[in-house]
């Protein structure tokens, strides 16, 4: 991933664009114009069912590519990408990506390794759905979601997700998410105020997620 990170930080290769919160980066079904790399912020990838229900596929964190699996498999996006907070994205158009790969074939190997790693992560998430209860899945998700925000020994994040959206990510109902978050608060694991989430005891929550 280091080689890809350098690729998207080289201003000769890409353009950098700032997006405010709630901006749509691209829509499901739209034509793929190139590759996006998230430098700052968070992005949700969503798929909308025929009746309009939103299913969140993944939450993208800084230093991750957006839409690359679609780029290498088809001509249009299979999901919608929306900014969860003010974000900064590096973009390389399709023509330049193809030219860079021709010029430096090792880049293709980096993309293949990244895709392989993400397949392993997808297998891990599928295993979690089968083997972990909702509380354990929620604890793991919260730890991952706020991973890049730290204040002393606590982890802090503007959650920017509704209970329904969290439920969509971990495969449960919004009522169950609310019940477990209340339980985590009662156990002294976290606090929440105006959607600002603070994990007071990350180690205890991590142990809970691994039960």
């Amino acid at each position: 991933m280091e080689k890809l990170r350098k690729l998207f930080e080289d201003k000769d290769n890409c353009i950098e664009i700032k997006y405010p919160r709630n901006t749509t980066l691209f829509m499901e079904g739209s034509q793929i114009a190139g590759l996006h790399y998230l430098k700052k912020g968070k992005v949700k990838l969503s798929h909308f069912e025929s009746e309009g229900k939103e299913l969140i596929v993944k939450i993208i964190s800084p230093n991750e590519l957006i839409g690359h699996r679609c780029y290498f498999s088809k001509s249009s996006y299979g999901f919608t990408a929306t900014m969860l907070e003010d974000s900064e994205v590096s973009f390389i158009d399709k023509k330049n990506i193809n030219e860079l790969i021709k010029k430096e074939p090792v880049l293709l190997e980096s993309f293949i390794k990244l895709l392989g790693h993400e397949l392993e992560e997808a297998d891990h998430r599928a295993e979690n759905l089968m083997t972990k209860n909702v509380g354990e899945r929620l604890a793991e998700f919260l730890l991952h979601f706020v991973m890049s925000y730290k204040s002393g020994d606590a982890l802090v994040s503007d959650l920017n997700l509704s209970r329904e959206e969290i439920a969509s990510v971990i495969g449960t109902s919004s009522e169950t998410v609310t019940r477990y978050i209340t339980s985590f608060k009662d156990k002294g694991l976290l606090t929440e105020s105006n959607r600002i989430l603070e994990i007071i005891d990350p180690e205890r929550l991590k142990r809970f997620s691994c039960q």
Side-chain angles (χ1 to χ4, degrees):
M1 187 61 193
E2 180 63 20
K3 196 164 192 65
L4 296 180
R5 183 187 64 78
K6 289 180 178 178
L7 176 69
F8 283 89
E9 288 185 349
D10 186 342
K11 290 183 171 57
D12 290 334
N13 297 326
C14 62
I15 58 172
E16 295 182 355
I17 309 169
K18 293 183 178 180
Y19 296 91
R21 179 180 174 179
N22 294 327
T23 301
T24 298
L25 182 62
F26 51 75
M27 294 287 293
E28 183 176 354
S30 61
Q31 293 296 301
I32 297 173
L35 286 175
H36 300 83
Y37 174 84
L38 185 63
K39 297 189 70 175
K40 179 182 177 183
K42 287 194 181 293
V43 176
K44 69 173 178 178
L45 305 183
S46 305
H47 169 71
F48 291 88
E49 297 185 324
S50 56
E51 64 271 23
K53 182 181 178 182
E54 180 185 24
L55 297 177
I56 298 179
V57 179
K58 187 179 180 182
I59 304 296
I60 302 293
S61 299
N63 303 318
E64 291 188 63
L65 287 171
I66 310 170
H68 51 293
R69 278 177 283 183
C70 295
Y71 180 90
F72 288 106
S73 63
K74 52 188 177 181
S75 60
S76 61
Y77 292 110
F79 45 78
T80 296
T82 308
M83 305 301 170
L84 286 173
E85 56 191 45
D86 293 348
S87 302
E88 186 176 329
V89 173
S90 289
F91 174 77
I92 304 179
D93 64 41
K94 186 181 292 187
K95 180 182 177 181
N96 283 338
I97 283 289
N98 293 338
E99 287 178 353
L100 286 165
I101 290 175
K102 287 179 182 177
K103 188 184 301 182
E104 198 172 352
V106 70
L107 286 173
L108 187 57
E109 180 181 342
S110 297
F111 280 117
I112 291 171
K113 286 181 178 179
L114 174 62
L115 292 170
H117 174 70
E118 290 182 343
L119 280 174
E120 290 180 354
E121 286 187 336
D123 288 342
H124 175 68
R125 286 196 298 272
E127 182 182 357
N128 279 351
L129 285 173
M130 292 186 289
T131 61
K132 291 191 174 185
N133 65 40
V134 175
E136 292 164 351
R137 298 201 302 269
L138 177 60
E140 185 176 51
F141 167 75
L142 292 175
L143 284 165
H144 174 76
F145 190 82
V146 301
M147 189 67 74
S148 58
Y149 300 83
K150 196 163 185 180
S151 177
D153 293 329
L155 296 171
V156 183
S157 176
D158 183 348
L159 196 52
N160 285 334
L161 289 173
S162 67
R163 297 292 191 258
E164 289 78 10
E165 289 173 317
I166 296 173
S168 175
V169 175
I170 66 173
T172 188
S173 67
S174 57
E175 293 80 10
T176 302
V177 168
T178 297
R179 178 159 50 84
Y180 271 103
I181 287 182
T182 299
S183 174
F184 291 162
K185 291 176 184 177
D186 292 342
K187 288 180 172 66
L189 298 175
L190 57 84
T191 62
E192 185 184 19
S193 177
N194 297 323
R195 298 182 78 165
I196 301 296
L197 180 77
E198 180 175 356
I199 298 178
I200 300 169
D201 196 334
E203 286 305 314
R204 276 180 64 204
L205 190 62
K206 185 176 182 180
R207 287 197 296 272
F208 186 92
S209 73
C210 296
Q211 289 178 0

